[in-house]
Amino acid sequence: MEKSYDRERLIVVANAEPYQHLHSEGGIKQEKLAGGLTTGLDPMMKNSNNLWIAWGRGEADFEVTDDESKVVVPDDEIGYTLKRLELSREEINGFYYGFSNSTLWPICHSFPHKANLGKENWEVYKKVNKRFAESVLEELRPGDRIWVQDYQLALVPQMIRQEKPDAKIAIFWHIPWPPWETFGIIPWKRELVEGILGADFIGFHTSWLVHNFLDTVFKLGGAANRDENIARLDSDRTVVNNIPLGIDTDFFQSTAKRKEEAQRLKENFASRKLVLGVDRLDYTKGIDRRIEAISTFFEKYPQYKGEVSFIERISPSRSKVKEYQQMREKIEQGIAEINGELRGEEWVPIRYFYQHLPQEQLIPYYLAADVGLLTPLIDGMNLVAKEYVATRDKGMLILSEFAGAAETLGEAIQVNPYNSERVADALHEALTTPIEDQKRKFDKMKRKLNQMDVHWWRDRFLEEWEISLHN
Ligand code: GDG
């Protein structure tokens, strides 16, 4: 049965764009950007008259847009419209590197000591949120649904609501929502929560994040109904729900042609077993702790020397920020120490790659690895964990209990990423689990991932949003 929202135009508003345009030898080329948010939303935007509004940051982005800053993407299939906003250097520094990534990111991931609480960045954040809101208002037609994405745009729902009280607005928050005593540190906490509550409907990945958000509303003096998941501050009621982002399982399961590449990879590593970590460079991903755990593992279980190799694929991120450069150095030093101490003639304990790969090129790595080791200190979801499982029929997943994905992937070996002894034991357990048990666990996890894939997520979000409008 066709639902009313099938006919309505979807306007996604996100900081990140799904495609960027770059100069290449053969002219301007379009490149798909892989990040958690863009890989999740791109499939649901295709084949429609939908609109995505985002910051255009590719070097040739504005050479391909029309006089309304729009371009149709992707250029090789039926696409949708991408409208780009150009940000000045001052806006990029204050809004993106500043308030978004140096204030909200550390606070929401419960690293308050890393947060910059300077007022200047907050002022720029407000200004840029206003530009996004105005860009939506320019486009808005009756019946449109405005779906705001993530922490960079927290004020946009309320800014649109003030101009268009009847607009249909929702927001999905892709990163954690911290406990009150952490969120409360932000001097502009009330403005931020009021901004978000301009939406009719808010989605988080997990139930505990919904709980934290409702608690924040309550502590700010608002009404938070925990049975019906309803929040109200100085606003109309907003429904809050957990709808975990899924992946495009069909894409990850159509991997037959990648099996040969996976085989070649395996042969290159001169190891009986491979353990894989894939992360964006970030302190939340717990990469340095993982390196420590690998060292503990070889100390405690020396029988695996020469037998097991770790592959650490790190994708560059925020590389202009000094702290991220230092983090990279520390990780590389840790890896060099372990390799220097333990490596054999052919065998290398840790193979490290600092490079971003297009998503389809990650598949041979997923296929080649006997164990997936994803141990973020905290993560809204962690899509890589889901992708690793979806690609394979058997194997073992070791997953941080502080990743949102742990709420769905209960059959993974769940670990405290700070406890290197526990991670080392989990590795031993994973490497000795009989194939039949592995298959059983993977079968259960895959069933859930197939059922709760990215299309389910989109439909579920739109349905729940629709219901929230009528209650
Ligand atoms: C944020 C939250 C939340 C492609 N090539 C590489 C690579 N990709 C793709 C992966 C995956 C995505 O990027 C990474 O997603 P994650 O969820 O693992 O992590 P974040 O980028 O931190 O995403 C996160 C997500 O938003 C969605 O809501 O799950 O909690 O932090 O699809 O296939 N990833 C890496 N290297 C590559 O070369 N690491």
Side-chain angles (χ1 to χ4, degrees), residues 174 205 279-280 285 315 357 359 379-383 387:
H174 290 258
H205 286 300
D279 308 88
R280 210 165 37 72
K285 302 289 182 184
S315 142
L357 282 186
Q359 201 170 38
D379 218 330
M381 172 56 72
N382 198 297
L383 295 176
E387 294 165 6

